[in-house]
């Protein structure tokens, strides 16, 4: 089985197809009313997307399904030969647009800053994120084989995974909060109190929906509901791209699964690395609910 290798840009490993399209990506022209969903991979992108979709469609599930077929918030850096790229898809969308990226602040197309777009960032604690990414790479054939859990641990803490270092990503976006319109959310908060976090998203988007609609959005964006939705669970994606007999796309959706993976020694080493890499940052993560 041949797995795709990553290519580095500015020291950050990325998919080769993205690098082939790098000029188009960097020259992307944002619009002032764009909303950009920003995440490090495996931090709850699909979840927040669904929440934003439901808010955009005023909680109308049917309209949401239709919107999903039509656009589904293009990932700006997505590229595959002979297919419209993320940039092409974004350019073809009517405004106001909701777009998506996993790029760090250092690699974001500059136009997003210049146009003063709204950024919706979702962060997930590094340990659960690492576990989720490991299982994702096992089943996602468009990414490198993760190797053993021990090997993956090293790749992750050294930023040798697609889209680079979790630490740089989270620190970079955390530091934009006072200079830009950023709503910074945590996966763990959405899990603990979805309604409260969904309300924040709604307000950030300038919408006002009633309590009943908010309650419906909470229900419709639960892990169980989303996992059962073929438009979301990737059950239609070919096994040669995602082999869900290895691990499912909607895998567990919990906080604290890291405890089932990290050995005591790995956890100690991780804590040391974390302290060093996040020194001076005021960001705080919840590691269990
Ligand atoms: P796990 O692998 O820990 O289960 P992304 O969408 O950024 O790729 O993130 C995927 C992670 O978010 C997966 O984590 C997935 O299960 C989780 N997830 C997706 N939808 C969710 C939901 N509605 N509630 C909780 N977690 C969700």
């Amino acid at each position: 089985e041949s797995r795709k290798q990553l290519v580095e840009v500015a020291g950050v490993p990325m998919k080769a197809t993205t690098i082939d399209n790098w000029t188009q990506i960097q020259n992307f022209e944002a619009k002032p009313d764009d909303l950009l969903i920003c995440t490090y991979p495996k931090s709850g992108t699909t979840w927040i997307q669904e929440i934003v979709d439901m808010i955009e469609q005023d909680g109308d599930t049917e309209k949401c399904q239709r919107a999903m077929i039509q656009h589904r918030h293009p990932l700006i850096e997505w590229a595959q030969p002979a297919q419209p790229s993320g940039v092409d898809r974004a350019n073809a969308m009517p405004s106001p647009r909701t777009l998506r990226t996993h790029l760090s602040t250092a690699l974001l197309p500059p136009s997003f800053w210049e146009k003063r777009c709204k950024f919706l960032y979702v962060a997930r604690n590094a340990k659960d994120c690492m576990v989720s990414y490991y299982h994702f790479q096992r089943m996602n054939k468009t990414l490198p084989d993760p190797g053993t859990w021990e090997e993956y641990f090293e790749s992750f803490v050294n930023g040798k995974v697609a889209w680079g270092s979790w630490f740089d990503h989270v620190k970079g976006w955390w530091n934009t909060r006072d200079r830009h319109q950023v709503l910074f959310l945590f996966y763990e908060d959405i899990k603990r109190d979805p309604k409260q976090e969904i309300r924040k998203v709604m307000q950030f988007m300038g919408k006002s929906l009633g309590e009943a609609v908010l309650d419906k959005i909470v229900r419709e964006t639960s892990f169980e509901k989303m996992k059962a939705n073929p438009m979301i669970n990737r059950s239609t994606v070919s096994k040669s791209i995602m082999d869900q007999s290895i691990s499912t796309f909607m895998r567990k959706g919990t906080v604290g699964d890291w405890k089932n993976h990290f050995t005591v020694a790995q956890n100690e080493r991780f804590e040391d690395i974390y302290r060093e890499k996040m020194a001076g940052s005021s960001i705080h993560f919840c590691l269990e609910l």
Side-chain angles (χ1 to χ4, degrees), residues 145-165:
D145 188 312
T148 64
W149 166 247
E150 290 71 25
E151 287 164 348
Y152 193 71
F153 183 98
E154 297 306 319
S155 305
F156 187 93
V157 298
N158 292 307
K160 297 300 179 197
V161 293
W163 287 280
S165 158

Side-chain angles (χ1 to χ4, degrees), residues 42-47 124 132 187 221 223 250-253:
K42 311 320 290 176
S43 299
T45 325
T46 316
W47 194 9
R124 186 181 195 184
S132 183
Y187 177 101
T221 58
F223 181 77
M250 295 292 291
R251 195 183 62 91
K252 261 192 167 173

Side-chain angles (χ1 to χ4, degrees), residues 39-51 100 102 124 128-129 131-133 135-136 187 190-191 220-227 232 234 247-255 257:
T39 49
Y40 185 78
K42 311 320 290 176
S43 299
T45 325
T46 316
W47 194 9
I48 195 68
Q49 246 198 119
E50 192 60 17
I51 290 170
R100 224 169 12 114
H102 293 315
R124 186 181 195 184
D128 283 336
C129 191
V131 168
S132 183
Y133 213 165
H135 290 296
F136 188 62
Y187 177 101
I190 314 176
K191 193 79 200 176
E220 294 294 329
T221 58
S222 72
F223 181 77
E224 291 69 28
K225 266 279 171 124
M226 283 178 56
K227 189 179 171 79
I232 296 174
R234 306 291 197 273
S247 180
T248 50
F249 178 70
M250 295 292 291
R251 195 183 62 91
K252 261 192 167 173
T254 58
V255 178
D257 192 35

Side-chain angles (χ1 to χ4, degrees), residues 11-240:
V12 177
M14 299 287 289
K15 289 190 186 184
T17 48
T18 292
I19 301 306
D20 290 344
N21 202 37
W22 199 241
T23 306
Q24 192 200 31
I25 295 164
Q26 286 303 308
N27 290 332
F28 177 71
E29 287 193 36
K31 295 177 183 171
D33 57 357
D34 287 342
L35 169 65
L36 186 62
I37 296 175
C38 317
T39 49
Y40 185 78
K42 311 320 290 176
S43 299
T45 325
T46 316
W47 194 9
I48 195 68
Q49 246 198 119
E50 192 60 17
I51 290 170
V52 167
D53 238 341
M54 283 292 277
I55 294 171
E56 280 172 345
Q57 310 298 338
D58 303 320
D60 186 323
T61 328
E62 306 239 304
K63 271 207 248 161
C64 217
Q65 291 279 333
R66 277 205 297 280
M68 227 185 281
I69 298 164
Q70 281 160 14
H71 58 84
R72 198 66 191 164
H73 314 146
L75 187 79
I76 283 301
E77 65 273 23
W78 190 88
Q80 273 301 307
Q83 291 184 43
S85 66
V87 170
D88 295 334
R89 283 168 209 245
N91 288 343
M93 274 173 78
S95 284
R97 308 180 293 188
T98 299
L99 310 170
R100 224 169 12 114
T101 190
H102 293 315
L103 293 171
S104 64
T105 53
L107 298 183
L108 191 73
S111 176
F112 283 106
W113 308 121
E114 289 153 12
K115 296 291 172 13
R116 310 225 34 97
C117 299
K118 280 187 187 173
F119 303 114
L120 172 48
Y121 191 85
V122 181
R124 186 181 195 184
N125 80 78
K127 294 181 193 178
D128 283 336
C129 191
M130 187 196 301
V131 168
S132 183
Y133 213 165
Y134 168 67
H135 290 296
F136 188 62
Q137 278 189 232
R138 289 172 56 231
M139 63 83 106
N140 188 329
K141 307 297 180 181
T142 73
L143 288 171
D145 188 312
T148 64
W149 166 247
E150 290 71 25
E151 287 164 348
Y152 193 71
F153 183 98
E154 297 306 319
S155 305
F156 187 93
V157 298
N158 292 307
K160 297 300 179 197
V161 293
W163 287 280
S165 158
W166 177 95
F167 305 93
D168 292 345
H169 204 279
V170 167
K171 273 190 294 188
W173 280 102
W174 180 247
N175 291 341
T176 60
R177 287 167 305 132
D178 43 7
R179 279 174 288 122
H180 289 276
Q181 303 187 75
V182 184
L183 178 64
F184 200 103
L185 299 180
F186 293 90
Y187 177 101
E188 296 76 20
D189 289 342
I190 314 176
K191 193 79 200 176
R192 189 194 310 109
D193 191 346
K195 192 170 177 185
Q196 172 187 290
E197 300 307 298
I198 291 170
R199 196 192 310 273
K200 284 185 198 165
V201 178
M202 174 194 83
Q203 286 163 349
F204 186 65
M205 291 168 65
K207 299 269 289 193
S208 73
L209 304 170
E211 292 304 302
V213 176
L214 281 177
D215 288 330
K216 180 177 181 192
I217 296 177
V218 170
R219 281 197 308 277
E220 294 294 329
T221 58
S222 72
F223 181 77
E224 291 69 28
K225 266 279 171 124
M226 283 178 56
K227 189 179 171 79
N229 185 338
M231 288 296 296
I232 296 174
N233 66 23
R234 306 291 197 273
S235 57
T236 57
V237 171
S238 136
K239 204 172 170 172
S240 61

